[in-house]
């Protein structure tokens, strides 16, 4: 973080203890203005004194530049020390121009797309008065029932780390005081995604080894990338809520990782220590959280009520309070707030910067890069000269496709599939038949006849299916992750009527799609694609753009397979052939088997890629050496396309059981028809380290398998030895 224009130590020395505590409190904007913004957590009257409001250091959930400027102006008039407030919000996948949800961004396997979208979001959000975004969310996930899988980049620690670090760098840029940049806050530390049974806010019990190997690396990667803030998670981690978890917050975060940024609680998480049953007193909650390193308390006021008393009793040190305030003021200074408290935000700038054609273009290209062609029996792409098109299903002409938690994005600013196709093929005759609802409890089939008639009468049918956007995101877990309502029945009838059919799926998680997969010749996963979802869908369906996304989280065959993840450890009783449905006394689900329907890394294209060779310059790796791996790929089809070259290893023998496959590198490349390219990867000893039974991060000499391909699908295999 660049600094320092303001003499922060001198400023702190003139602050009263109440003023210092004010910096450690974050309240919703409706405490300071008549705000129209969404409240992102439970709302309770807190009972904070009007005078104290003048000292509050930061706010969240305000709406737009005008509101921000008014709050800041009033605050600076009232605050004796003239310390600007910090304005924070959740800019998760765009501010006004919405790009695909993070799980989709993971599926792009393309850090460049992530960079471009994050920079766009930072520009727009900054014009709207936001200074810090509660991004990136890098919780590692294995269970699609959890609604917040939509906010992560998926089930692989390495992919999640790369994408998290990329977001930090793109949002923050080189200089935080540049008005186009935002500070970032990595969350939710730690292992929020490990919630039992995928139910949000639920308990997390995992071993330290598992935690360190799968769950922690992405948070660490964001810290190494320079993230300025960190948010502990709501959940208990091995019995203790993160915010009061000394092992996590002190030993790992501060002592081992040396995190020097600002720690902010999640919404009312300090107050929730009482509901967890850690204590019956808000005073204890304040003491536990502050002494665990939580600098700012969001939307509960235990610090306001008790810190002064805790200092007087010697339970909290004033030096620690000063240090916390210093961290916060240093961030304000790095953002340039003391000279530039509104950073040029205005409604005029907001109007000029947001939703421009350039930004819509970025969003559309991102949606195209994220879509995954799950299945294609040759139906796609449809010809651009198709005359009669039937668009069937609840998402046929729906604008509710931007995805949950889209900041200032509006549904009516999204391009629906119908609008996208109409714009691409103005002369085609398009019939829209909704057919049924996407809600789980709406089973009405009144629209079936119209839909089947439209399917019969069409040259090409596009089924537009999925789950409502509010089925994923915070607090929205599902016990059944199939297509809700009667959508499968609708699809079956339309497919009987017309086989020239492809399905688009809109979802915030991998759904169980076996029925659709069995019946439908082509399936394109759109996720929640954002403002330009319909334009992207049209370009992909009619072959203007070649799909290139890859599955970022396994699509289970049945919800009972959850948690399911490709990089699982070996079992002592594996099946002879993973695809077998039954084998007695083997680790297996009868009937369904263990494999997902669509594994991690899978994704088809309209062209063919042939992996011609994988060459290693040596098969022996020394501790300080490297192996150079050259993978040659040819586009053997007849159109240009992009391929994600993925490199996996398997450590064959180790003192702690290793995953059967593990992504260690990837690169997305473009190949024109007939073109051949060679991708170069390097393998070095640190990539082979793991957490052993004593939780030491080590590597062990021995044999490794290496392959290019995707989960459970090696194209070319080789081996090497660590000596
Ligand atoms: C609760 C969520 O868990 C967190 O991700 C978010 O940043 C805060 N609310 C603020 O909206």
């Amino acid at each position: 973080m660049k600094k320092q224009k303001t003499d922060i130590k001198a400023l702190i020395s003139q602050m009263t203890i109440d003023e210092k505590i004010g910096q450690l409190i974050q309240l919703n904007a409706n405490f300071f203005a008549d705000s129209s913004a969404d409240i992102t957590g439970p709302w309770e009257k807190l009972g904070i004194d009007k005078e104290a409001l003048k000292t509050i250091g930061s706010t969240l959930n305000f709406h737009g530049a005008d509101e921000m400027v008014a709050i800041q102006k009033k605050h600076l008039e009232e605050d004796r020390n003239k310390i600007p407030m910090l304005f924070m919000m959740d800019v998760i996948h765009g501010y006004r121009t919405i790009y695909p949800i993070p799980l989709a961004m993971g599926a792009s396997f393309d850090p460049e797309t992530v960079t471009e979208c994050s920079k766009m979001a930072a520009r727009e959000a900054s014009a709207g008065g936001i200074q810090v975004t509660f991004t990136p969310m890098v919780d590692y996930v294995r269970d699609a029932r959890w609604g917040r899988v939509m906010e992560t980049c998926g089930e692989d620690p390495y992919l999640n780390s790369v994408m998290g670090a990329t977001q930090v760098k793109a949002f923050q840029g080189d200089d935080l005081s540049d008005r186009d940049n935002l500070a970032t806050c990595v969350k939710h530390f730690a292992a929020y995604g490990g919630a039992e049974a995928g139910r949000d806010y639920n308990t997390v019990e995992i071993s330290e080894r598992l935690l360190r190997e799968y769950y922690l690396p992405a948070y660490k990667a964001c810290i190494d990338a320079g993230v300025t803030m960190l948010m502990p998670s709501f959940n208990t981690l091995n019995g203790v809520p993160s915010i009061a978890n000394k092992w996590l917050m002190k030993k790992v975060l501060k002592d081992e990782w040396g995190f020097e940024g600002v720690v902010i609680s999640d919404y009312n998480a300090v107050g929730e220590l009482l509901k967890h049953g850690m204590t019956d007193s808000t005073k204890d909650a304040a003491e536990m959280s502050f002494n665990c390193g939580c600098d700012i308390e969001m939307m509960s006021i235990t610090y306001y009520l008790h810190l002064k008393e805790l200092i007087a009793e010697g339970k909290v040190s004033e030096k620690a309070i000063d240090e916390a305030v210093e961290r916060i003021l240093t961030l304000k200074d790095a953002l340039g707030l003391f000279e530039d408290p509104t950073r040029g935000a205005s409604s005029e700038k907001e109007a000029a910067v947001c939703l421009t054609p350039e930004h819509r273009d970025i969003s559309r290209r991102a949606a195209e890069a994220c879509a995954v062609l799950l299945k294609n029996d040759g139906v796609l792409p449809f010809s651009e000269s198709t005359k009669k098109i039937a668009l069937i299903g609840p998402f046929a002409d729906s604008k509710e496709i931007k995805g949950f938690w889209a900041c200032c994005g509006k549904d009516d600013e999204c391009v629906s599939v119908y609008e996208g196709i109409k714009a691409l093929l103005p002369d085609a005759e398009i019939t829209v038949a909704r057919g049924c609802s996407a809600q789980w409890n709406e089973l009405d089939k009144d629209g079936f006849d119209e839909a089947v008639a439209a399917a019969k009468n069409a040259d090409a049918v596009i089924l537009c299916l999925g789950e409502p956007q509010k089925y994923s995101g915070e607090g929205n877990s599902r016990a059944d992750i199939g297509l809700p309502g009667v959508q499968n029945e609708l699809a079956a009838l339309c497919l009987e009527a017309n086989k020239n059919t492809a399905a688009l799926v809109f979802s915030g998680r991998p759904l169980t799609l076996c029925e659709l997969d069995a019946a439908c010749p082509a399936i394109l996963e759109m996720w929640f694609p954002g403002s330009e979802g319909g334009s992207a869908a049209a370009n992909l369906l009619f072959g203007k753009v070649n799909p290139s996304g890859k599955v970022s989280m396994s699509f289970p065959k049945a919800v009972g397979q959850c948690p399911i993840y490709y990089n699982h450890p070996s079992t002592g009783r594996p099946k002879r052939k993973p695809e077998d449905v039954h084998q007695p006394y083997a680790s297996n689900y009868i009937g369904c088997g263990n494999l997902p329907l669509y594994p991690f890394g899978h994704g088809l294209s309209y062209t063919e890629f042939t992996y011609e060779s994988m060459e290693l310059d040596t098969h022996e790796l020394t501790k300080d050496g490297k192996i150079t791996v050259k993978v040659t790929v040819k586009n053997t089809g007849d159109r240009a396309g992009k391929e994600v070259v993925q490199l996996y290893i398997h450590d064959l023998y180790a003192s702690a059981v290793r995953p059967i496959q593990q992504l260690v590198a990837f690169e997305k490349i473009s190949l024109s028809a007939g073109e051949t390219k060679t991708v170069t990867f390097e393998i070095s000893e640190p990539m082979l380290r793991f957490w052993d039974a004593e939780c030491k991060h080590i590597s062990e000499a021995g044999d490794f398998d290496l392959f290019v391909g995707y989960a459970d699908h090696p194209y070319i295999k080789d081996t090497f030895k660590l000596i």
Side-chain angles (χ1 to χ4, degrees), residues 237-287:
L237 179 61
N238 298 332
V240 184
S242 295
I243 191 102
N245 192 316
K246 279 200 191 115
W247 177 83
L248 183 70
M249 300 304 296
K250 288 296 213 188
K251 181 168 184 297
V252 176
L253 183 66
K254 299 275 174 156
D255 301 347
E256 288 182 26
W257 294 359
F259 182 64
E260 289 177 348
V262 177
V263 174
I264 184 166
S265 82
D266 204 340
Y267 201 104
N268 190 34
V270 180
E272 284 169 22
L273 287 176
L274 277 74
K275 297 222 169 104
H276 276 298
M278 291 289 289
T279 173
D280 63 353
S281 112
T282 49
K283 188 170 165 192
D284 289 351
E287 183 186 341

Side-chain angles (χ1 to χ4, degrees), residues 71-88:
I71 294 173
Q72 187 73 296
K73 202 166 155 253
K74 181 162 168 263
H75 172 78
L76 289 172
E77 280 161 16
E78 290 178 346
D79 179 26
R80 184 181 75 91
N81 299 304
K82 309 288 168 224
I83 301 173
M85 260 185 157
L86 254 183
F87 290 78
M88 310 192 190

Side-chain angles (χ1 to χ4, degrees), residues 40 60 90 134 148 187-188 231 234 266-267 405 474:
T40 56
L60 80 163
D90 295 280
F134 298 119
R148 300 196 78 168
K187 65 191 188 183
H188 307 84
M231 184 187 289
F234 283 128
D266 204 340
Y267 201 104
W405 223 348
E474 191 181 342

Side-chain angles (χ1 to χ4, degrees), residues 205-216 237-238 247 251-252 256 691-696:
E205 288 284 328
I206 41 182
S207 71
E208 181 179 343
R209 228 178 61 72
L210 184 61
L211 189 68
R212 289 190 181 270
E213 195 147 309
Y214 288 83
Y215 288 84
L216 296 188
L237 179 61
N238 298 332
W247 177 83
K251 181 168 184 297
V252 176
E256 288 182 26
W691 294 89
D692 73 2
E694 274 93 49
C695 267
K696 289 198 201 81

